[in-house]
Amino acid sequence: MMRHVIWIAVAWFTSVLFTALAHVFHIAHLVPDAAVIIAVFLAFEREAPALVASCVAIGALIGRQALAPTGLHEWSLATVALSIHLVAGNIAGSGRLFFATSVAGATIAYQMTMFCLLWLVRGEAGFPNWTTAVLLPNAMLNALVGWLVHPVLLAVERRLSSEHRESLSF
C-alpha cells in the first residue's frame, strides 16, 4: 500500500516541479507530463486494480492543479494506463526504448481521451489550436524524458519492493 502512495506522491511532486520550472524559465506549453510517464511505468509494473486506483489518485491531484473539471484527468489517465496494461501483456517488448515509445503513444492517447470526454460531456472541447500544434512535440519530449528516467524509475521500484522473506529450512 505504501509504495502506491509513494508513486502517487512522486507523480504529483514531479508534475508540480515541471510546472514551476516551466514558469520560471518561460517555457510555453512544452512541459513534460510526469503523470503520464509514471502512469505508463505503473502500467508495466502493477496489477489492474492497483493501477486504476493509483491513476485515479494521480489524476485527481493533477486535475485540481490544472483546475480541470472533476473526473476529466482521473478517468483519462486511468483509461490510458489500463489500455497500456492490457496491450503490453500481448507485446513482447521491454527496455528503455519500448518504454519511451509507450510514453509517447500514451501522451497522445491521454490528450485525445481528454478531448473526447470533454466533447461528449459538454458538446465542445474548447481546445485552442496551440494544444493540437504541440501534441506531437510534447509526446516526443515525454518520450525523451521517459527514456532518461526509466533506469531511475526501475531503481526506485526495486528499492520499494525489496522484501526480506525467510522460509523454513528442513
Side-chain angles (χ1 to χ4, degrees):
M1 174 64 179
M2 191 61 179
R3 63 184 187 173
H4 301 295
V5 173
I6 290 172
W7 281 117
I8 293 166
V10 166
W12 182 70
F13 178 74
T14 52
S15 178
V16 169
L17 180 68
F18 288 154
T19 304
L21 290 174
H23 177 73
V24 168
F25 294 113
H26 305 290
I27 302 169
H29 310 297
L30 197 57
V31 180
D33 194 343
V36 173
I37 295 169
I38 298 294
V40 171
F41 181 75
L42 293 177
F44 292 139
E45 299 292 326
R46 298 279 182 266
E47 294 299 321
L51 170 67
V52 171
S54 297
C55 287
V56 167
I58 292 168
L61 293 170
I62 300 303
R64 297 310 64 82
Q65 178 186 347
L67 300 176
T70 303
L72 179 64
H73 285 270
E74 293 91 326
W75 297 115
S76 298
L77 192 60
T79 302
V80 170
L82 188 59
S83 299
I84 288 175
H85 177 75
L86 296 173
V87 170
N90 298 322
I91 298 175
S94 62
R96 291 171 79 174
L97 186 58
F98 182 72
F99 179 72
T101 305
S102 299
V103 167
T107 301
I108 293 171
Y110 178 59
Q111 295 295 328
M112 296 310 293
T113 304
M114 282 196 300
F115 179 82
C116 290
L117 282 175
L118 279 175
W119 184 72
L120 285 172
V121 172
R122 290 185 174 174
E124 56 92 22
F127 283 153
N129 289 334
W130 62 260
T131 303
T132 309
V134 298
L135 184 59
L136 188 58
N138 213 358
M140 292 171 57
L141 177 64
N142 273 358
L144 175 65
V145 172
W147 185 79
L148 291 172
V149 301
H150 186 253
V152 176
L153 296 176
L154 287 173
V156 170
E157 177 63 19
R158 276 192 302 269
R159 181 77 173 152
L160 289 176
S161 64
S162 65
E163 297 177 5
H164 300 289
R165 296 185 183 187
E166 295 181 18
S167 61
L168 296 174
S169 61
F170 292 100

